């Protein structure tokens, strides 16, 4: 019965593509429109359509069933896969382009992936946070098009990252609501099929057509990609009286951009809003001074939503403690209930965080002048993009990671002397350990090397890297 349902789904997908081809060619058979449809009919594109009509459609339907933010992020996923299909059509029609053209061709896919991540970040307080994180961690797998010569391991790695969160969903709902479990497995199925598809059709990267034309021209003429579970298109006469295929293609291509369709609109200043300025209602023009008076030059990295001061957050979301936007709070105490919980501290300034009990993982991200004391960390303790932070472990930690951080003071306990410290793009790092000759006295402080010397060893035929003498 399941095989019969799958067969019916595939036949419906084929019928939908034939109807679209008939409409775009003014009612003529799909094969009579010249070379424009040859790319759409390529085996690689048809195989990708099977993913869209099969596992992706099932995922979209299950997402709609769960509703709320999951249903919304599913629409963004649908847009991302549609953009990927449009790119694959260009690949099947074109020779391999130069880097600049390639970036322009994948721009729509990149924008769609960014939209998914932004949606997840925007809804981090959602009750479906694990669902959103699972999708957000997995959707970058569509970026395989930039990975060469082995894109499949890249997809597999991101699929594993997604399963970290989908497994949480399964664990949380396996005894209470099977629809969430089915949803989690349907998303993993999409990523698994994507990996199998790339392995078969694009083993070493996008399989460009050596006999094809210019990629930029093909991208301009490519029609919009079909979205899964979309309503049937209206007849051609309803779109426009003349049935102009180029106009319709341009319209649908614009609509398929999703949120990007509004990217070209200008922001209306408050001084130009008629409901706030009744004196403007009598005229159709806005004074020039009204639009230029409040237009100070923006500085890179300044202004915008990222500088808006947000309310502090300290909450347990599922199994994840979230500590964000805390300012000069010296009494942050987190009591864990098991080793399966994690802590994520983001943009905390001048704070002191105390973690009581064992915890799975701790991450300090974008924190300044913040100190943390914890007992035991099972997986890893990580510091990222931070400045002038201190960390003390009183129990056991196996791995400490420091990345893009200026100023990190680490205090190790006797149990943690065997910890591995991995650093990258960081400076002013020091590690303090108990003094073996005076356990009750001052700790021994040692700098972590920042400068290295690399030489070639002709005997071993490899590079050898050692800290310089000045680096300690």
């Amino acid at each position: 019965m399941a095989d019969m349902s799958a067969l019916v789904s595939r036949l419906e997908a084929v019928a939908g593509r034939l109807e679209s081809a008939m409409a775009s060619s003014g009612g003529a058979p799909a094969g009579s429109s010249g070379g424009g449809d040859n790319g759409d009919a390529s085996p690689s594109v048809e195989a990708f359509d099977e993913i869209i009509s099969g596992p992706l459609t099932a995922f979209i339907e299950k997402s709609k069933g769960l509703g709320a933010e999951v249903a919304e992020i599913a629409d963004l996923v649908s847009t991302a896969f549609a953009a990927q299909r449009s790119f694959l059509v260009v690949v099947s029609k074109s020779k391999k382009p130069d880097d600049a053209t390639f970036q322009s061709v994948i721009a729509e896919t990149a924008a769609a992936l960014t939209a998914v991540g932004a949606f997840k970040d925007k809804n981090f307080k959602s009750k479906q946070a694990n669902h959103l994180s699972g999708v957000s961690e997995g959707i970058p797998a569509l970026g395989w098009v930039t990975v060469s010569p082995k894109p499949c391991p890249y997809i597999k790695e991101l699929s594993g990252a997604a399963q970290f969160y989908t497994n949480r969903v399964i664990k949380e709902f396996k005894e209470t609501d099977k629809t969430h479990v089915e949803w989690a497995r349907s998303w993993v199925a999409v990523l698994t099929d994507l990996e199998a598809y790339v392995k078969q059709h694009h083993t070493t990267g996008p399989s460009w057509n050596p006999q094809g034309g210019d990629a930029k021209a093909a991208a301009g003429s490519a029609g919009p990609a079909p979205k899964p579970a979309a309503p049937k298109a209206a007849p051609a006469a309803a779109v426009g009286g003349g049935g102009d295929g180029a106009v319709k293609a341009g319209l649908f291509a614009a609509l398929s951009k999703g949120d990007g369709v509004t990217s070209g609109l200008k922001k209306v200043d408050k001084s130009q809003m008629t409901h706030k300025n009744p004196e403007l209602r009598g005229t159709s023009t806005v004074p020039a001074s009204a639009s230029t008076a409040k237009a100070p030059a923006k500085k890179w990295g300044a202004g915008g939503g990222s500088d808006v001061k947000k309310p502090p957050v300290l909450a347990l979301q599922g199994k994840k403690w979230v500590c964000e936007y805390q300012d000069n709070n010296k009494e942050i105490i987190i009591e864990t209930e098991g080793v399966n919980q994690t802590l994520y501290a983001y943009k905390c300034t001048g704070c002191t965080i105390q973690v009581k009990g064992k915890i799975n993982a701790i991450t300090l991200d974008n924190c300044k002048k913040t100190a943390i004391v914890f007992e035991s960390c099972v997986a890893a303790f990580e510091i990222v993009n931070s400045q002038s932070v201190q960390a003390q472990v009183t129990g056991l930690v196996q791995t400490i990671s420091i990345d893009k951080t200026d100023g990190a003071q680490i205090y190790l306990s006797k149990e943690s002397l065997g910890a591995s410290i991995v650093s990258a793009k960081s400076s002013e790092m020091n590690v303090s350990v108990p003094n073996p000759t005076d356990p009750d006295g001052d700790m021994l402080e040692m700098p972590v090397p920042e400068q290295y010397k690399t030489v070639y060893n002709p005997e071993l035929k490899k590079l050898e890297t050692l800290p310089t003498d000045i680096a300690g």
Side-chain angles (χ1 to χ4, degrees), residues 271-398:
S271 62
Q272 298 173 291
M273 299 179 182
T274 56
H275 68 284
K276 292 182 178 291
N277 301 274
E279 65 275 7
L280 297 178
R281 298 174 186 173
T283 176
S284 60
T285 60
V286 178
S289 59
S291 60
T292 58
K294 297 183 180 180
K298 291 186 176 181
K299 295 182 179 179
W300 179 257
S306 60
D307 286 345
V308 176
K309 189 174 181 61
K310 297 184 179 181
V313 177
L314 180 60
L316 178 62
Q317 300 176 0
K319 300 295 184 181
K320 177 181 179 182
W321 282 96
V322 176
C323 178
E324 298 181 338
Y325 306 107
Q326 299 285 341
D327 192 10
N328 294 319
N329 188 347
K330 306 293 185 180
E331 300 179 355
I332 302 175
I333 299 177
I334 296 174
E335 297 184 2
T336 63
E337 299 176 356
V339 295
N340 58 343
Q341 293 184 348
T342 62
L343 167 62
Y344 179 71
Y346 179 69
K347 283 198 173 181
C348 296
T349 303
C351 298
T352 300
I353 304 172
Q354 184 177 359
V355 181
K356 296 183 177 181
K358 288 186 178 181
I359 194 167
N360 186 276
I362 300 175
T363 300
L364 299 185
D365 186 1
N366 254 304
C367 295
K368 296 180 180 180
K369 298 180 180 179
T370 294
I372 182 170
V373 180
F374 61 94
E375 294 180 7
S376 293
C377 184
V378 176
F381 172 74
E382 184 178 15
I383 304 174
V384 186
N385 295 321
S386 298
Q387 298 177 10
S388 303
V389 295
Q390 299 181 28
Q392 179 179 1
V393 52
T394 60
L396 178 65
V397 63
Q398 298 286 354

Side-chain angles (χ1 to χ4, degrees), residues 139-199:
I139 196 64
L142 292 181
W144 66 265
V145 297
T146 64
V147 180
S148 179
K150 296 181 179 180
C152 287
Y154 171 79
I155 299 175
K156 188 172 184 178
E157 180 181 353
L158 290 172
S159 177
Q163 289 183 58
F164 177 81
Y165 292 98
T166 56
N167 287 342
R168 289 183 172 185
V169 175
I170 294 174
K171 183 178 180 180
E172 182 179 355
F173 293 98
K174 66 179 179 180
E175 302 296 340
T176 57
D177 192 344
K178 295 295 184 182
T179 56
H180 291 266
V181 176
E182 294 173 359
W183 174 90
R185 291 172 177 165
S186 71
W187 176 234
V188 174
V190 172
L191 299 176
T192 302
D193 282 22
L194 177 65
E195 181 185 356
Y197 163 79
V198 173
K199 184 176 182 180

Side-chain angles (χ1 to χ4, degrees), residues 41-98:
S42 69
S44 64
V45 175
E46 288 183 348
F48 193 77
D49 284 342
E50 291 182 6
I51 296 178
I52 293 179
S53 61
L56 181 63
T57 297
F59 167 74
I60 299 297
E61 291 174 352
K62 288 178 172 57
S63 299
K64 299 298 183 184
L66 296 184
E69 290 85 1
V70 169
E72 295 182 52
I73 203 171
D75 289 336
L76 300 178
V77 170
S78 175
T79 300
F81 271 83
Q84 178 111 111
R85 185 190 184 276
S86 296
F87 169 79
L88 294 174
V89 172
V90 174
V91 169
S92 67
K93 292 180 178 181
S94 314
K95 297 178 182 178
K96 185 175 181 180
D98 55 46

